[in-house]
Amino acid sequence: MGIEPGDLYFFLPRIFSVFGDTSGREMLELGNQQNRFGDRCAGKNFFRTLCFNHTMVDINGEDGSINKDLREPEQWTEWKERFDVVTNFGTTEHVEPNDKQWEAWKIIHDVTKPGGLMCHAIPMDTPKWAGHCSVYYSEGFFTSLAQACGYHHGGYTQVREHNVCVLQKVKSADFPVDRETILKWCILK
């Protein structure tokens, strides 16, 4: 899906409000995303200009990404509560089979520090995105996730047919949501 300017206009003020200076903050980018503006460089190049210690993961291992799989929680244990910011610019909807959604959302929870932000910009279930993936999420998904996990809900909007949301992990805790519930909250195609 890539990184759209409208998504950043929503995320960046929230990130700066929580952290102020981002120098030395740890950021994890899910998927090797490309900017959809300017020089269309890899997302890591943009986020490094903001002085984040940036890590990018993708199962394809391209563009300097580390090869990790969002279906395999055991690959992520060394990063438990490491990241101040985790971005999901259209990655989790590609985690298949659908019942592996639980692993992806558990990993995001587990790698985010208490006080850290989870920034999601993922396609809406609209004709524009028909056939893009087999899993979509609604505003209700994020509200339910925040309530179940005790996250602070930092805001939700829709930007160019993307669901855009910021959640803040409040405390260190195991991921409390079971597989069946995650799947119930998803829009499965």
Side-chain angles (χ1 to χ4, degrees):
M1 194 176 88
I3 301 169
E4 298 279 351
D7 303 336
L8 290 175
Y9 294 146
F10 187 78
F11 292 147
L12 291 177
R14 286 158 174 81
I15 291 170
F16 293 130
S17 173
V18 169
F19 298 115
D21 182 11
T22 57
S23 296
R25 295 284 179 180
E26 297 288 334
M27 173 183 270
L28 175 64
E29 179 184 344
L30 303 177
N32 61 328
Q33 304 297 334
Q34 299 292 312
N35 291 338
R36 301 287 185 228
F37 57 92
D39 63 4
R40 299 178 69 86
C41 64
K44 69 179 175 181
N45 297 337
F46 173 77
F47 290 116
R48 285 182 176 161
T49 67
L50 299 176
C51 298
F52 279 106
N53 290 335
H54 182 273
T55 303
M56 180 173 61
V57 295
D58 198 304
I59 59 172
N60 68 23
E62 295 177 358
D63 299 321
S65 64
I66 297 170
N67 185 323
K68 286 195 181 279
D69 190 335
L70 284 168
R71 299 172 293 187
E72 304 293 338
E74 64 277 358
Q75 292 182 6
W76 302 77
T77 56
E78 77 276 11
W79 287 352
K80 183 161 181 65
E81 297 185 341
R82 175 179 168 181
F83 295 98
D84 298 291
V85 178
V86 177
T87 63
N88 174 20
F89 291 101
T91 300
T92 55
E93 75 271 17
H94 297 292
V95 173
E96 294 180 342
N98 292 344
D99 70 344
K100 291 292 189 175
Q101 286 292 308
W102 182 84
E103 281 80 357
W105 292 97
K106 177 188 183 329
I107 289 166
I108 293 168
H109 173 88
D110 288 350
V111 301
T112 305
K113 287 180 182 177
L117 299 178
M118 297 159 276
C119 301
H120 304 283
I122 37 192
M124 296 171 63
D125 183 18
T126 64
K128 174 183 176 180
W129 292 104
H132 175 77
C133 56
S134 62
V135 178
Y136 295 87
Y137 315 93
S138 67
E139 180 178 6
F141 175 89
F142 295 107
T143 300
S144 297
L145 186 64
Q147 289 172 348
C149 295
Y151 298 154
H152 168 72
H153 199 304
Y156 170 88
T157 193
Q158 296 175 346
V159 178
R160 296 187 59 200
E161 299 187 56
H162 301 165
N163 290 306
V164 183
C165 182
V166 174
L167 302 174
Q168 184 175 27
K169 185 175 180 178
V170 175
K171 63 182 180 186
S172 181
D174 290 337
F175 187 59
V177 184
D178 63 54
R179 182 179 312 277
E180 183 179 309
T181 302
I182 283 284
L183 292 173
K184 181 176 73 175
W185 294 341
C186 293
I187 301 167
L188 304 176
K189 297 292 180 172

